[in-house]
Amino acid sequence: MNISQLTKIAVTAAKLAGQEILKIYHSADFGVEMKSDDSPLTLADKAAHEEIMKYLSETGLPVLSEEGKSIPYEERKNWEYFWMVDPLDGTKEFIKKNGEFTVNIALIHRDTPVMGVVYAPVLDRMYWGNAEEGVWKQEGKEKARMLKRPENKMVRAIVASRSHLSPETQEVIDRYPDAEVISMGSSLKFMLLAEGKAQLYPRFAPTMEWDTAAAHGVLLALGFTVKKTDNNQPLLYNKQNLLNPFFICEG
């Protein structure tokens, strides 16, 4: 499996999906509708999904996307490698027009991300990485730079969801009275850890596998862990139920 080549394809797909999202972001009508779980869906989610599929389908690998068709567990449980995609992570942030939403593309080997791409279109900020080539960040027209795992692991900042601050999360925050609490939308929360701007991300609120897979892939390439809160085991993917358990991400 040529992870390097697949990473390039995913970066291209994420960038072009971001451009499609921005066309709608700057338009008058987002075409907002509600899905069966009461989460919002916009024209941008659909356009990004279609753009990404143009590129990923050419790799011959299966794709599990939030906006794609539901694939039975019996069909996907034996997949060796597959793509996991959230075409627009942070639809609520998109609707609020605060810029804190991302395109997420991960390559999964059985149950573990081996590559991740996270792109924030409004910020024009791209993160990508795999174990072979390390993790990179590019913002705007600046030259891509390699990210290194921060050496100082002392918890100086904790990242928490702006819309999901549960009592359990507050309990973790209370353990670090001197730490700053940073709120941010979408998978950009994980990227604060990748850049050393935060050291802890506790999540005691629902997420789906496609919400975390790409960022998890980036962080694994940096040597971070994303573990379940109930048994301290790694977060796994392509489960029968695609809902994630609660987790804590730390260096």
Side-chain angles (χ1 to χ4, degrees), residues 53-70:
M53 289 301 295
K54 288 179 192 175
Y55 291 86
L56 300 192
S57 59
E58 292 181 3
T59 67
L61 297 174
V63 181
L64 193 57
S65 170
E66 179 178 13
E67 307 312 338
K69 64 175 184 175
S70 178

Side-chain angles (χ1 to χ4, degrees), residues 194-215:
E195 294 197 70
K197 295 176 180 177
Q199 293 72 43
L200 194 64
Y201 171 26
R203 180 73 182 203
F204 293 90
T207 57
M208 299 299 290
E209 290 187 10
W210 43 68
D211 294 322
T212 60

Side-chain angles (χ1 to χ4, degrees), residues 79-119:
W79 287 351
E80 186 76 8
Y81 283 91
F82 69 97
W83 297 105
M84 181 162 277
V85 177
D86 190 344
L88 202 171
D89 178 34
T91 301
K92 289 178 182 176
E93 278 72 27
F94 175 88
I95 294 168
K96 292 175 190 171
K97 297 198 81 167
N98 70 8
E100 294 178 6
F101 55 86
T102 55
V103 179
N104 296 341
I105 302 176
L107 181 67
I108 311 285
H109 180 221
R110 295 180 182 159
D111 59 10
T112 303
V114 293
M115 182 275 289
V117 175
V118 173
Y119 179 53

Side-chain angles (χ1 to χ4, degrees), residues 1-249:
M1 190 61 60
N2 190 334
I3 303 294
S4 176
Q5 183 60 29
L6 292 173
T7 302
K8 289 188 179 93
I9 292 169
V11 167
T12 299
K15 183 85 172 179
L16 293 175
Q19 290 177 9
E20 293 301 310
I21 290 170
L22 287 178
K23 289 177 187 175
I24 296 161
Y25 188 73
H26 295 304
S27 72
D29 181 16
F30 292 170
V32 179
E33 54 189 85
M34 302 308 287
K35 293 193 280 191
S36 58
D37 63 355
D38 284 336
S39 62
L41 177 70
T42 71
L43 294 172
D45 295 81
K46 299 173 187 175
H49 170 76
E50 289 169 9
E51 190 68 23
I52 290 166
M53 289 301 295
K54 288 179 192 175
Y55 291 86
L56 300 192
S57 59
E58 292 181 3
T59 67
L61 297 174
V63 181
L64 193 57
S65 170
E66 179 178 13
E67 307 312 338
K69 64 175 184 175
S70 178
I71 300 172
Y73 181 65
E74 286 303 309
E75 180 181 338
R76 56 183 172 82
K77 67 179 182 179
N78 296 317
W79 287 351
E80 186 76 8
Y81 283 91
F82 69 97
W83 297 105
M84 181 162 277
V85 177
D86 190 344
L88 202 171
D89 178 34
T91 301
K92 289 178 182 176
E93 278 72 27
F94 175 88
I95 294 168
K96 292 175 190 171
K97 297 198 81 167
N98 70 8
E100 294 178 6
F101 55 86
T102 55
V103 179
N104 296 341
I105 302 176
L107 181 67
I108 311 285
H109 180 221
R110 295 180 182 159
D111 59 10
T112 303
V114 293
M115 182 275 289
V117 175
V118 173
Y119 179 53
V122 171
L123 307 173
D124 197 12
R125 188 180 296 163
M126 179 82 73
Y127 303 86
W128 70 95
N130 58 64
E132 296 172 15
E133 300 172 302
V135 172
W136 297 79
K137 176 192 175 186
Q138 184 172 27
E139 190 160 0
K141 292 183 168 38
E142 71 176 23
K143 186 179 178 182
R145 63 182 179 89
M146 193 174 196
L147 298 181
K148 298 290 187 181
R149 183 179 178 181
E151 293 181 8
N152 188 346
K153 296 182 182 179
M154 186 177 76
V155 177
R156 301 182 310 279
I158 301 170
V159 61
S161 171
R162 186 171 284 131
S163 49
H164 298 284
L165 194 59
S166 66
E168 296 95 335
T169 306
Q170 190 62 54
E171 185 181 324
V172 174
I173 291 169
D174 290 344
R175 292 179 210 158
Y176 305 92
D178 297 327
E180 176 189 3
V181 177
I182 305 173
S183 294
M184 187 163 282
S186 76
S187 56
L188 288 171
K189 289 187 283 292
F190 290 96
M191 297 302 98
L192 290 172
L193 276 77
E195 294 197 70
K197 295 176 180 177
Q199 293 72 43
L200 194 64
Y201 171 26
R203 180 73 182 203
F204 293 90
T207 57
M208 299 299 290
E209 290 187 10
W210 43 68
D211 294 322
T212 60
H216 191 172
V218 170
L219 289 177
L220 281 177
L222 279 171
F224 284 82
T225 61
V226 183
K227 294 183 177 179
K228 296 181 276 188
T229 57
D230 59 351
N231 62 11
N232 215 32
Q233 294 298 303
L235 209 59
L236 299 178
Y237 294 83
N238 203 19
K239 306 185 304 298
Q240 185 164 2
N241 182 349
L242 296 170
L243 181 70
N244 283 328
F246 296 159
F247 61 83
I248 288 185
C249 179

